[in-house]
Amino acid sequence: MRAFRVVVIGGGATGIGILRDLSMRGVTAVLLEQGGLAYGTSSRFHGLLHSGARYAVSDVEAARECIEENAVLRRIGRHCVEKSEGLFVLTAEDDEAYVRPWLEACAEAGITTEAVAPDEARRLEPALSPEIRQVFRVPDGGIDGFRLVWHNAMSARRHGGQVRTCHKVTGIESANGRVTAVEVCDTLKKETYRLACEYVVNAAGPWSGEIARMAGQTVDITPDRGTLLAFNHRFTSHIVNRLHESADGDIFVPHGSITILGTTSARAKNPADTTPAPEEVLRLLSLGEPLFPAVREYRILRAFAGNRPLYTPPDHDAGRSASRNFVIVDHEKDGLAGFVSIFGGKLTTYRLMAEKMTDLVCGRLGVATPCRTAEVPLAEQPSEEMLARAARRLPAHRTQLVAERLGDQFADIVGGLEKSGGSDLLCECELVTRAEVELAAGDEATHFLHDIRFRTRLGMGTCQGSYCSLRAMGALTEIGAPFAADAQAALRLFLQERWRGLRPVMWGAQVQEIELGRAIYGSTLNLNGGDDETD
Amino acid sequence: MTDIAQPDRCIVCTTCTVMCPVAKNCLDFLGPRMIGPAHQRFRLLGMGEDESLHYCSNCKNCDISCPCDVPVSTFIMRARAEASREKPPKFRDWILAHGELLACWLRFIPAVFKNFGMGFAPVRLLLHALGIARQAPLPAFAAQTFRRKFKSLSQPQNLPRQVVLFPGCFVDIYEPESGLDIVAVLNRAGYEAITPEGFVCCGLPLVANGFWQNARQNARRNLEELARWTDRGLPVLTACPSCALMFGKDYAEYFPDLLPRNLSPVLVDVCEFLTGCMERGELSAPDVAPGAATTGDDHILYHAPCHLRALGAGLPGLELLRLIPGLRAEYADSGCCGISGSYGFKKDKYAIGMRVGSALFSAMRQSDAKLCASECGTCRVQMRHGGGKQTLHPVSILRRWLDGK
């Protein structure tokens, strides 16, 4: 007896996009994720919704995909997309000869470019270097990876899809050259069980090599590490790219209350190798200076790293020159029917990747329902009436913020606020209310404070969790959230993760912030549990 | 307002919110950290203001307490200015912000009628309806402004030195006798006082009530006038710590483009100046026997205005009082008096102001001192109102002592 026809492995944008697409086409499917939703690469990037201009010269096909999907996501993912524009800037250090071929390639890919006088660009973005020479406007945007994944998950669930987080795949069973089941361990309950299925989709990103090995297959992927910096405030309201051949440290993306500078590119030791190093931070800062000369004066909130699952066939190099295109491998040709892998690509094209993969799986399963993910919004726009009701419970300026964060759960929170209150702020840096934290805590895919952070941005602002994590644990203990049972352990886990990103940037105001946090938890609250003052 | 200050220096220690007298006494106020640097990150995102922005009294205890030198109150005042562009301030706020202009318009109405009107119950009810609290201790108009009295004043001939005096609106409109006390003491120290017509209101009440552009115009005029006198090497004194703060600190944070490169726009505190006179021997400490003053008491309770503390230049008024032989000056050290310029006069803020000042009021009542002192005019009004004791400018007390009255 099969509960699901398809098992999708990997809770990033690609996997969750596939789950949504399958569910919308009426195919029963379950998604298995070893950690939490968007724990991997989908939350570890610069948050850029590519126009494709970055790839226009090197890969016009990838650029075309980007601009098409860019338009689709602006339509279906309004809650997740920030409609900032992009500027491509030729700095004093960039080669002018690159401009013409770039403009031609953009035109060929269908990306609109518009020249902006450098003075006008400096009026728009006063922090830009006075030495910039040429500027072009492109339809880049910002996208919230955490929110995108969660809103996809909620949409998939509405269509019958199931999401199981903290579920680590331990084996893939087959008989007569065909996949029959997946063996999976619920790491919280420490229970292993079998899930019989017809098809297994391997969308595990940088871990897809390991998943393939479980099925006795190989895929040509190399985890490629990119390090990024998050700054404490928006010093630009446009996305700013260097106008040159794609390189490290040449994109600034304003994102909600912060700005992100990325990225680097280097072979990762393993898929979980995401701890940034101070040298990488210093290098990124010097690379960012030609665009924003004062970049060293801005306070860095944290550094973080993610691993791109790059497609690297045996005769190709990894790194910058590797293709940003996505690849679907049907392992039937290698002797295992019912097992497919997808990797490469970019977050911007996650939906297209999911569509192509779902087309393939549906074709094999004999399902002829067409794809509708490009038309149906991830979440409904909140009604005027609902916004007005929310405005009676929340400060007016915050209702839109909450509506965008929560998507289809906005109505639930408004109802909750009317019934039992909870408009008090737990996270003051990112304006997160108690009601939002409690709502996120009640989700079946929430097992840690991190999951609440991804849904709400709790702990992602200036204090990096120093104040809100304690308050959140208090609120969660009161409502009896299961994972808050051992509050001390939950708190320590959360803070350690926050401090992982703080350690490589210990200077300036941030080191004062860290010392304050250390004093609060290490000394005042004695989180490490010393018995007396000499411990 | 292109050069939006960035919030990076704030380490979220929340000391400012703990030290904020309004946040302590008004639960609806989110506090300086939230309305200041925290919300600044969202202002850059284009998000609207929090409704509780209007509760800030601009007393600047946030700036005083910040360990990281974050311009907290500047964030808030700039935000109020932006909010006022979209939603103009109330008529009530216009009245309270434009005291100087109002006084000018009303100058031909004799003070006795003006004050009768201000004390007349139906007028107070009308003002109450406009949003000025019925119970608030609105100061009475003086029969003649300080500037007019000064014109007809004959200073002693052949004084060897000159100083410029910026009286401040409060002394000019409501309490000219304090100004005359200052001139008398300056004369005694050998200084002729000059009160130029070119100076206007420093602009602080305009900023606090959301009239940013008017404040900017005033700043421009004042800076030009200031440069004219400092170029001649003359110190410009003021009796009002708020005016001194506006010139010395706020102009640079609010209107950096107006500041000439070489000018540090400093108004010298008159108490500090007179302390210097005593140290230089220009003014000899009075040797009047204790108990000879009209107050009949040699004990003074001194209150330091918040804006004086925000200047970070010590407590010169207290020091001056302590230089007077036979006088015992006690520091009240009880925080904010709650008036904050025009804040405590407002109907929706009066009760908050009175709660804020309650520590000072009880210190006044418990003290043996019959006379209190403070440099700030509206602090004195609030102290008389809440603490029920006569309160004077420290220089007025010095003059009484010098005159042996």
Short mmCIF file of all heavy atoms in Angstrom, two decimals, chain B residues 102-120 123 139-145 173:
data_model
loop_
_atom_site.label_atom_id
_atom_site.label_comp_id
_atom_site.label_asym_id
_atom_site.label_seq_id
_atom_site.Cartn_x
_atom_site.Cartn_y
_atom_site.Cartn_z
N LEU B 102 4.32 84.77 17.83
CA LEU B 102 3.07 85.14 18.50
C LEU B 102 3.28 86.38 19.36
O LEU B 102 2.48 87.32 19.33
CB LEU B 102 2.61 84.00 19.40
CG LEU B 102 1.69 82.96 18.75
CD1 LEU B 102 1.40 81.86 19.74
CD2 LEU B 102 0.40 83.63 18.30
N ALA B 103 4.38 86.38 20.11
CA ALA B 103 4.67 87.51 20.98
C ALA B 103 4.81 88.78 20.16
O ALA B 103 4.37 89.87 20.56
CB ALA B 103 5.94 87.25 21.77
N CYS B 104 5.39 88.62 18.98
CA CYS B 104 5.57 89.77 18.10
C CYS B 104 4.21 90.29 17.64
O CYS B 104 3.94 91.49 17.64
CB CYS B 104 6.44 89.34 16.93
SG CYS B 104 6.67 90.62 15.71
N TRP B 105 3.32 89.36 17.26
CA TRP B 105 1.98 89.77 16.80
C TRP B 105 1.17 90.43 17.92
O TRP B 105 0.41 91.35 17.70
CB TRP B 105 1.20 88.55 16.30
CG TRP B 105 1.67 88.06 14.98
CD1 TRP B 105 2.58 88.65 14.14
CD2 TRP B 105 1.28 86.84 14.34
NE1 TRP B 105 2.76 87.90 13.02
CE2 TRP B 105 1.99 86.77 13.11
CE3 TRP B 105 0.42 85.80 14.67
CZ2 TRP B 105 1.84 85.73 12.22
CZ3 TRP B 105 0.26 84.75 13.79
CH2 TRP B 105 0.97 84.70 12.58
N LEU B 106 1.36 89.88 19.12
CA LEU B 106 0.54 90.35 20.23
C LEU B 106 1.17 91.54 20.96
O LEU B 106 0.69 91.96 22.00
CB LEU B 106 0.31 89.21 21.24
CG LEU B 106 -0.42 87.97 20.73
CD1 LEU B 106 -0.44 86.89 21.80
CD2 LEU B 106 -1.84 88.31 20.32
N ARG B 107 2.25 92.09 20.38
CA ARG B 107 3.04 93.05 21.16
C ARG B 107 2.28 94.35 21.48
O ARG B 107 2.62 95.04 22.41
CB ARG B 107 4.38 93.34 20.50
CG ARG B 107 4.31 94.12 19.18
CD ARG B 107 5.70 94.19 18.57
NE ARG B 107 5.72 94.92 17.31
CZ ARG B 107 5.36 94.40 16.14
NH1 ARG B 107 4.95 93.14 16.08
NH2 ARG B 107 5.43 95.12 15.04
N PHE B 108 1.27 94.66 20.65
CA PHE B 108 0.56 95.92 20.90
C PHE B 108 -0.57 95.76 21.90
O PHE B 108 -1.17 96.72 22.33
CB PHE B 108 0.04 96.50 19.59
CG PHE B 108 1.17 96.84 18.66
CD1 PHE B 108 1.33 96.19 17.44
CD2 PHE B 108 2.13 97.79 19.03
CE1 PHE B 108 2.39 96.48 16.60
CE2 PHE B 108 3.19 98.08 18.18
CZ PHE B 108 3.33 97.44 16.97
N ILE B 109 -0.85 94.49 22.25
CA ILE B 109 -1.86 94.29 23.29
C ILE B 109 -1.14 94.38 24.64
O ILE B 109 -0.17 93.65 24.86
CB ILE B 109 -2.53 92.91 23.15
CG1 ILE B 109 -3.13 92.77 21.75
CG2 ILE B 109 -3.59 92.71 24.23
CD1 ILE B 109 -3.70 91.39 21.47
N PRO B 110 -1.56 95.26 25.51
CA PRO B 110 -0.85 95.36 26.79
C PRO B 110 -0.87 94.03 27.54
O PRO B 110 -1.85 93.29 27.48
CB PRO B 110 -1.65 96.42 27.55
CG PRO B 110 -2.37 97.18 26.50
CD PRO B 110 -2.63 96.23 25.38
N ALA B 111 0.24 93.77 28.23
CA ALA B 111 0.42 92.48 28.91
C ALA B 111 -0.71 92.21 29.88
O ALA B 111 -1.15 91.08 30.04
CB ALA B 111 1.76 92.46 29.64
N VAL B 112 -1.20 93.26 30.50
CA VAL B 112 -2.23 93.04 31.52
C VAL B 112 -3.47 92.40 30.88
O VAL B 112 -4.07 91.49 31.43
CB VAL B 112 -2.54 94.35 32.27
CG1 VAL B 112 -2.97 95.44 31.30
CG2 VAL B 112 -3.62 94.13 33.32
N PHE B 113 -3.80 92.83 29.65
CA PHE B 113 -4.95 92.21 28.96
C PHE B 113 -4.61 90.80 28.51
O PHE B 113 -5.41 89.88 28.65
CB PHE B 113 -5.37 93.06 27.76
CG PHE B 113 -5.96 94.38 28.16
CD1 PHE B 113 -5.51 95.56 27.61
CD2 PHE B 113 -6.98 94.43 29.11
CE1 PHE B 113 -6.05 96.78 27.97
CE2 PHE B 113 -7.53 95.65 29.48
CZ PHE B 113 -7.06 96.83 28.92
N LYS B 114 -3.38 90.68 27.98
CA LYS B 114 -2.96 89.35 27.51
C LYS B 114 -3.03 88.35 28.66
O LYS B 114 -3.57 87.26 28.53
CB LYS B 114 -1.53 89.39 26.97
CG LYS B 114 -1.43 89.94 25.55
CD LYS B 114 -0.04 89.78 24.97
CE LYS B 114 0.93 90.82 25.49
NZ LYS B 114 2.14 90.96 24.68
N ASN B 115 -2.48 88.78 29.79
CA ASN B 115 -2.41 87.84 30.91
C ASN B 115 -3.77 87.61 31.54
O ASN B 115 -4.07 86.52 32.00
CB ASN B 115 -1.41 88.35 31.96
CG ASN B 115 0.00 88.28 31.41
OD1 ASN B 115 0.29 87.41 30.60
ND2 ASN B 115 0.83 89.21 31.81
N PHE B 116 -4.59 88.67 31.52
CA PHE B 116 -5.96 88.48 31.99
C PHE B 116 -6.64 87.44 31.10
O PHE B 116 -7.26 86.50 31.57
CB PHE B 116 -6.73 89.80 31.93
CG PHE B 116 -8.18 89.64 32.31
CD1 PHE B 116 -8.53 89.46 33.64
CD2 PHE B 116 -9.17 89.63 31.33
CE1 PHE B 116 -9.86 89.27 33.98
CE2 PHE B 116 -10.50 89.46 31.67
CZ PHE B 116 -10.84 89.29 33.00
N GLY B 117 -6.40 87.60 29.79
CA GLY B 117 -6.98 86.66 28.83
C GLY B 117 -6.49 85.25 29.09
O GLY B 117 -7.25 84.29 29.14
N MET B 118 -5.16 85.11 29.34
CA MET B 118 -4.59 83.77 29.53
C MET B 118 -5.11 83.13 30.80
O MET B 118 -5.21 81.91 30.89
CB MET B 118 -3.06 83.88 29.61
CG MET B 118 -2.41 84.39 28.35
SD MET B 118 -2.51 83.22 27.02
CE MET B 118 -1.24 82.11 27.53
N GLY B 119 -5.41 83.95 31.79
CA GLY B 119 -5.89 83.39 33.05
C GLY B 119 -7.41 83.30 33.07
O GLY B 119 -7.99 82.74 34.00
N PHE B 120 -8.06 83.83 32.06
CA PHE B 120 -9.51 83.90 32.01
C PHE B 120 -10.06 82.52 31.66
O PHE B 120 -9.65 81.92 30.66
CB PHE B 120 -9.87 84.94 30.95
CG PHE B 120 -11.32 85.31 30.91
CD1 PHE B 120 -12.01 85.62 32.07
CD2 PHE B 120 -11.99 85.37 29.69
CE1 PHE B 120 -13.35 85.97 32.01
CE2 PHE B 120 -13.32 85.73 29.63
CZ PHE B 120 -14.01 86.03 30.80
N VAL B 123 -11.03 81.50 28.12
CA VAL B 123 -9.90 81.43 27.21
C VAL B 123 -9.14 80.13 27.42
O VAL B 123 -8.76 79.44 26.46
CB VAL B 123 -8.96 82.64 27.41
CG1 VAL B 123 -7.72 82.50 26.53
CG2 VAL B 123 -9.69 83.92 27.09
N PRO B 139 3.23 80.43 31.19
CA PRO B 139 3.88 81.61 31.78
C PRO B 139 3.17 82.89 31.33
O PRO B 139 2.61 82.95 30.24
CB PRO B 139 5.30 81.54 31.21
CG PRO B 139 5.20 80.74 29.97
CD PRO B 139 4.06 79.78 30.16
N ALA B 140 3.23 83.90 32.19
CA ALA B 140 2.58 85.17 31.87
C ALA B 140 3.49 86.02 30.99
O ALA B 140 4.72 85.98 31.12
CB ALA B 140 2.26 85.91 33.16
N PHE B 141 2.87 86.78 30.07
CA PHE B 141 3.64 87.70 29.24
C PHE B 141 4.18 88.83 30.12
O PHE B 141 3.48 89.32 31.00
CB PHE B 141 2.76 88.31 28.16
CG PHE B 141 2.40 87.34 27.07
CD1 PHE B 141 1.19 86.66 27.11
CD2 PHE B 141 3.26 87.10 26.01
CE1 PHE B 141 0.86 85.76 26.11
CE2 PHE B 141 2.93 86.21 25.01
CZ PHE B 141 1.72 85.53 25.06
N ALA B 142 5.40 89.24 29.83
CA ALA B 142 5.95 90.39 30.55
C ALA B 142 5.37 91.68 29.96
O ALA B 142 4.98 91.71 28.79
CB ALA B 142 7.47 90.40 30.41
N ALA B 143 5.33 92.70 30.76
CA ALA B 143 4.78 93.98 30.30
C ALA B 143 5.60 94.50 29.10
O ALA B 143 5.06 95.03 28.15
CB ALA B 143 4.80 94.98 31.44
N GLN B 144 6.89 94.33 29.18
CA GLN B 144 7.78 94.71 28.08
C GLN B 144 8.76 93.56 27.87
O GLN B 144 9.22 92.96 28.84
CB GLN B 144 8.59 95.95 28.45
CG GLN B 144 7.88 97.25 28.18
CD GLN B 144 8.82 98.41 28.42
OE1 GLN B 144 9.64 98.38 29.33
NE2 GLN B 144 8.71 99.42 27.58
N THR B 145 9.12 93.30 26.61
CA THR B 145 10.09 92.23 26.38
C THR B 145 11.45 92.68 26.90
O THR B 145 11.70 93.87 27.09
CB THR B 145 10.23 91.91 24.88
OG1 THR B 145 10.75 93.05 24.22
CG2 THR B 145 8.90 91.51 24.27
N ILE B 173 10.53 87.06 26.33
CA ILE B 173 9.08 87.27 26.31
C ILE B 173 8.46 87.22 27.71
O ILE B 173 7.57 87.99 28.03
CB ILE B 173 8.41 86.22 25.40
CG1 ILE B 173 8.96 86.32 23.97
CG2 ILE B 173 6.89 86.41 25.38
CD1 ILE B 173 8.58 85.15 23.09
#
